[in-house]
């Protein structure tokens, strides 16, 4: 069969979410990958989540995505990061068995209705003028569709670097994808180069674990997914901490002339927030040690991932400096670290739907848009898949705002600001992060998920039940009072709590820093202590003042976010704009005035100028209409 509704190119984290979204919405979908044994393969660190990243995985799950469920199923260590800090910066992270994750995602795709998995390489797109109508594979076969989603990862013109040696490929064991980015460049796309890297993989039995410090996960499991049990499915393991030494740094410095990063061989920009060990010792030359975590890649493998030691130095140099690290004196490298340089598309060339501006019905998701990380890729794949499906089905665009989800922040940042380095999500990127917490993901996106229709009925029912229970508990806290009777005051003293000076509602009482839902229940009040219910309600109560101020700011900014800019607006005709502002606004074509004000180089005065221009334009249209009404009959106006 050579006719599908949607074709997805690539079966990494973005491709998986894209093809599942389209097929679950009832569309005949084909996913093409160069290696069917590497579906959902974790090329770098076998972990999911982290600060802000964990937020996105939960958002994806509520909307009907797959990553969170797969991460829960294959978790071998769970941690809640920043658990002692404010709720806005807490994040879930799990270490995964990479082979089980790959196996789980492969089975998911093979069992999905309306989905065909095919091994092959997409060499070019089939275009009808500026409309994408399918793809051409390496065997020459043409496959037609109504929409195409490209999720090429690090494979487009990918080149791997180990020392001064280069070889084509997107990762060890997989060949590069040649042709697509060249075709896009010829069509007018701005194609640039980025670089990423990965550490060496070490043999477990060659490590002296007694010289490292064990790092255990949390015993209590709060899964990403509503579908998951709160009990671990796999054995939990420890990771181990060790550190580089002065000698480590000396060896690396002496061999920088053999690093492709420092010889000018690699032109692509690497991730600033995940630098190679060569970068670290150069940029932080005052430090004589950097920590590194030894993380198992699975329960049934001897491979150890060396987090924080990404490198592209020659293998013999890697051996030399690794053996100066405590515990690694006799280490054996199973696979050396290496760098990958690859093509990406400057993301200001795509819309918020992730459809390209230049070619209709062509969507881009993942590292092709300049991002870094499994989570960033997965959520883009989901958004691209949903919007590709909605275009085919004739439904409205699916776009999340910055105050709704980290997904919205990610895509708006890419489309509005672009990127010159691999983009990674942080809580600091979200100006509304106090209302974009992990605990309230369900409250933020329940209505959106219900309308979208991707969440199975049983999960949607669970989502609605939790929402109802949260509302019931909030109402109970507002309406129920606690009085400073002698008996109550003694109960407080017995629990080493400050006594009351007046009667309070339970909501006011819970607002105290020394009071938790468990204490309220212990005092004799009926409380729902399910963490999915009580934790979110407690945070809303304790941070009510801060949340209200943030919501007020969001409401104030709505007038800009809701003001859609005309698609035919000619910025050259707007008086008061600088040449730079005209150039950037004309290239990015912001959807709303809110997006326009986030474009780098567009000043507040420009926003005022656009508003004045739109007002005068509207007045001119109204005057024209009134004049036509005076000079023409109603029948003429209707025509």
């Amino acid at each position: 069969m050579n006719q599908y509704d949607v074709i997805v190119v690539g079966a990494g984290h973005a491709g998986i979410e894209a093809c599942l979204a389209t097929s679950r919405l009832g569309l005949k979908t084909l996913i093409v990958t160069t290696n069917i044994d590497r579906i959902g393969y974790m090329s770098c660190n076998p972990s999911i989540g982290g600060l802000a990243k964990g937020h996105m995985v939960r958002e994806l799950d509520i909307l009907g995505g797959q990553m969170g469920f797969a991460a829960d199923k294959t978790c071998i260590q769970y941690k809640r990061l920043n658990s002692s800090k404010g709720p806005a910066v807490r994040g879930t992270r799990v270490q995964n068995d990479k082979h089980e994750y790959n196996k789980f995602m492969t089975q998911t795709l093979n069992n999905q209705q309306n989905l065909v998995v095919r091994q092959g390489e997409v060499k070019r797109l089939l275009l009808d003028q500026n409309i994408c109508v399918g793809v051409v594979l390496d065997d020459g076969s043409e496959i037609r569709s109504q929409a195409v989603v490209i999720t090429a990862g690090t494979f487009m013109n990918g080149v791997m670097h180990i020392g001064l040696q280069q070889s084509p490929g997107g990762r060890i064991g997989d060949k590069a994808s040649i042709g697509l980015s060249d075709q896009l460049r010829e069509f007018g796309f701005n194609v640039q180069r980025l670089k990423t890297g990965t550490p060496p993989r070490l043999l477990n039995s060659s490590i002296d674990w007694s010289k490292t410090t064990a790092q255990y996960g949390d015993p209590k499991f709060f899964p990403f997914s509503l579908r998951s049990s709160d009990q671990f499915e796999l054995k939990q393991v420890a990771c181990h901490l060790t550190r580089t030494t002065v000698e480590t740094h000396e060896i690396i410095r002496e061999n920088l002339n053999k690093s492709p990063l420092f010889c000018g061989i690699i032109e692509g920009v690497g991730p600033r927030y995940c630098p190679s060990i060569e970068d670290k010792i150069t940029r932080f030359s005052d430090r004589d040690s950097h920590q590194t975590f030894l993380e198992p890649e699975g329960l049934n493998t001897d491979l150890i991932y060396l987090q924080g030691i990404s490198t592209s130095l020659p293998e013999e140099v890697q051996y030399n400096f690794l053996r100066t690290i405590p515990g690694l004196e006799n280490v054996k490298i199973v696979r050396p670290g290496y760098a990958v340089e690859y093509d990406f598309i400057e993301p200001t060339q795509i819309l918020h739907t992730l459809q390209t501006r230049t070619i209709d019905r062509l969507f881009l998701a993942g590292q092709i848009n300049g991002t870094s990380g499994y989570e960033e890729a997965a959520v883009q794949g989901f958004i691209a898949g949903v919007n590709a499906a909605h275009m085919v089905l004739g439904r409205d665009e699916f776009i999340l705002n910055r105050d709704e989800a980290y997904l919205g922040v990610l895509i708006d940042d890419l489309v509005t600001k672009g990127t010159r380095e691999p983009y990674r999500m942080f809580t600091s990127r979200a100006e509304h992060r106090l209302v974009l917490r992990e605990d309230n993901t369900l409250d933020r996106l329940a209505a959106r998920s219900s309308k979208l229709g991707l969440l199975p009925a049983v999960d949607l029912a669970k989502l609605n039940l939790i929402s109802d229970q949260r509302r019931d508990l909030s109402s109970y806290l507002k309406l129920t009072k606690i009085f400073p009777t002698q008996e109550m005051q003694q109960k407080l003293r017995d629990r080493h709590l400050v006594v009351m000076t007046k009667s309070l509602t339970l909501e006011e009482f819970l607002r105290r820093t020394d009071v938790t839902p468990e204490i309220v229940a212990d005092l004799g009040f009926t409380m729902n202590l399910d963490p999915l219910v009580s934790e979110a309600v407690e945070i809303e109560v304790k941070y009510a003042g801060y949340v209200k101020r943030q919501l007020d700011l969001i409401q104030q900014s709505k007038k800009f976010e809701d003001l859609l800019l005309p698609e035919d607006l000619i910025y050259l005709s707007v008086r008061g704009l600088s040449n730079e502002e005209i150039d950037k606004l004309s290239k990015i074509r912001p959807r709303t005035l809110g997006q326009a004000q986030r474009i780098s180089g567009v000043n507040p005065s420009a926003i005022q100028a656009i508003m004045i221009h739109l007002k005068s334009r509207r007045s001119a249209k109204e005057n024209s209409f009134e004049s036509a009404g005076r000079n023409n009959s109603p029948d003429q106006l209707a025509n």
Side-chain angles (χ1 to χ4, degrees), residues 400-598:
L400 292 166
N401 297 322
R402 295 181 69 91
D403 62 330
E404 287 183 287
Y406 272 91
L407 278 72
V409 175
L410 167 69
I411 292 172
D412 186 67
D413 276 355
L414 292 174
V415 173
T416 304
K417 303 173 183 177
T419 188
R420 291 291 177 267
E421 64 182 2
Y423 179 103
R424 178 180 180 179
M425 179 54 71
F426 295 100
T427 54
S428 59
R429 293 193 189 272
E431 64 272 32
H432 305 307
R433 57 186 171 274
L434 189 56
V435 297
L436 300 181
R437 308 185 306 273
E438 275 199 336
D439 64 88
N440 72 351
T441 308
L442 184 153
D443 304 305
R444 289 187 277 120
L445 298 175
R448 287 284 218 157
S449 179
S450 180
K451 185 176 180 181
L452 192 58
L454 274 169
L455 206 62
V458 63
D459 298 316
L460 193 58
K462 184 175 181 180
L463 184 152
N464 291 330
L465 175 62
I466 295 169
S467 296
D468 290 342
Q469 290 175 332
R470 289 181 179 182
R471 280 192 293 270
D472 290 344
L473 180 55
S474 295
S475 178
Y476 176 73
L477 293 173
K478 285 182 171 68
L479 298 175
T480 307
K481 281 201 166 188
I482 179 171
F483 298 96
T485 63
Q486 287 187 351
E487 180 186 4
M488 183 57 67
Q489 300 287 51
Q490 188 57 50
K491 286 183 178 181
L492 295 175
R493 292 189 192 97
D494 292 343
R495 291 160 179 78
H496 306 291
L497 299 172
V498 178
V499 296
M500 298 169 59
T501 59
K502 61 179 181 179
S503 60
L504 301 168
T505 64
L506 286 182
E507 182 182 65
E508 293 169 328
F509 182 62
L510 183 58
R511 200 164 288 146
R512 287 172 40 169
T513 57
D514 59 343
V515 177
T516 65
E518 289 74 19
I519 287 175
V520 176
D522 193 39
L523 291 173
F525 294 94
T526 304
M527 293 286 287
N528 186 333
L529 295 181
D530 181 346
L532 281 174
V533 177
S534 61
E535 183 179 89
V537 172
E538 180 187 10
I539 290 171
E540 286 289 342
V541 167
K542 290 190 185 303
Y543 290 85
Y546 301 104
V547 170
K548 184 181 183 303
R549 282 199 289 273
Q550 189 117 107
L551 292 173
D552 288 342
L553 290 173
I554 291 171
Q555 198 58 42
Q556 290 172 24
S557 67
K558 278 288 186 184
K559 63 180 181 181
F560 286 149
E561 294 300 333
D562 293 342
L563 202 162
L564 293 173
L565 296 174
E567 292 183 5
D568 62 348
L569 179 57
I570 301 173
Y571 289 100
L572 190 62
S573 66
V574 179
R575 295 178 60 185
L577 296 183
S578 69
N579 289 335
E580 180 189 4
E581 288 166 339
I582 292 170
D583 182 57
K584 289 190 173 182
L585 288 163
S586 299
K587 284 182 179 178
I588 295 174
R589 306 296 308 175
R591 294 180 68 253
T592 68
L593 201 61
Q595 185 191 355
Q597 70 178 353
R598 288 190 294 275

Side-chain angles (χ1 to χ4, degrees), residues 30 60 63 93 144 247 285 297 301 320 424 430 506 559 623:
L30 172 70
L60 181 60
L63 294 169
R93 179 188 186 274
R144 295 188 172 265
E247 189 181 358
S285 57
E297 292 205 333
T301 177
N320 290 339
R424 178 180 180 179
L506 286 182
K559 63 180 181 181
N623 291 335

Side-chain angles (χ1 to χ4, degrees), residues 53-77:
K53 291 170 171 278
H55 291 67
M56 291 194 294
V57 177
R58 291 189 186 278
E59 291 168 352
L60 181 60
D61 183 71
I62 292 297
L63 294 169
Q66 192 72 10
M67 174 175 271
F69 189 45
D72 292 338
K73 286 282 187 182
T74 60
C75 168
I76 57 176
Q77 188 187 87

Side-chain angles (χ1 to χ4, degrees), residues 299-310:
L299 299 178
N300 299 304
T301 177
D302 288 330
L303 294 187
I304 299 295
Y305 179 91
L306 191 62
Q307 189 195 89
I309 308 289
S310 172

Side-chain angles (χ1 to χ4, degrees), residues 37-180:
D37 295 325
R38 295 286 189 102
I39 293 172
Y41 190 76
M42 293 180 165
S43 306
C44 203
N45 192 354
S47 69
I48 299 289
L51 302 181
K53 291 170 171 278
H55 291 67
M56 291 194 294
V57 177
R58 291 189 186 278
E59 291 168 352
L60 181 60
D61 183 71
I62 292 297
L63 294 169
Q66 192 72 10
M67 174 175 271
F69 189 45
D72 292 338
K73 286 282 187 182
T74 60
C75 168
I76 57 176
Q77 188 187 87
Y78 165 84
K79 277 193 174 183
R80 184 178 247 189
L81 306 178
N82 284 348
S83 58
S84 61
K85 296 184 179 180
V89 295
R90 294 173 192 162
T92 298
R93 179 188 186 274
V94 299
Q95 190 75 16
N96 297 99
D97 185 314
K98 69 184 298 180
H99 303 293
E100 288 299 314
Y101 190 94
N102 161 240
K103 179 181 175 182
F104 181 87
M105 283 304 199
T106 301
Q107 291 174 342
T108 299
L109 265 57
N110 287 336
N111 294 333
Q112 177 61 45
Q113 290 185 347
N114 303 316
L115 179 63
V116 174
V117 180
R118 178 168 174 171
Q119 182 162 297
E121 182 187 347
V122 173
K123 300 299 290 184
R124 62 185 178 89
L125 303 171
L126 283 174
L127 299 176
D128 182 0
Q129 295 184 347
N130 69 326
I131 300 173
C132 186
V133 295
V135 300
V136 179
L137 300 188
D138 51 352
D139 63 3
S141 58
E142 295 186 357
I143 307 176
R144 295 188 172 265
S145 66
Q146 298 185 65
V148 173
V149 182
I150 302 179
T151 67
T154 60
F155 288 80
M156 290 202 311
N157 286 342
V159 176
M160 297 180 294
H161 300 262
I162 301 178
L164 303 183
Q165 297 180 346
Q166 298 105 47
S167 59
R171 63 180 168 222
I172 291 290
D174 288 309
K175 63 181 183 178
S177 174
I178 308 298
L180 270 180

Side-chain angles (χ1 to χ4, degrees), residues 200-273:
R201 303 310 197 269
L202 312 178
L203 186 65
N204 187 328
S205 58
S206 69
I207 298 170
D208 184 350
W209 296 102
S210 67
K211 294 182 179 180
T212 66
T213 305
Q215 304 283 310
Y216 296 97
D218 299 342
K220 177 62 179 172
F221 184 40
F222 294 93
F224 281 119
S225 178
L226 284 176
R227 289 168 276 176
S228 299
S229 165
D230 61 0
Q231 301 298 312
F232 295 114
E233 298 211 15
L234 298 181
K235 176 187 174 184
Q236 299 297 288
V237 299
C239 297
H240 290 76
L241 173 67
T242 186
R243 304 188 70 91
T244 61
T245 63
V246 172
E247 189 181 358
T248 310
H249 296 191
E250 288 177 355
I251 292 173
I252 294 172
R253 286 194 188 97
E254 290 170 359
N255 288 278
L256 287 178
N257 63 323
K258 300 174 184 176
S259 168
L261 282 170
F262 289 82
C263 293
I265 295 175
I266 292 179
E267 298 177 358
V269 180
R272 185 177 9 146
Y273 301 103

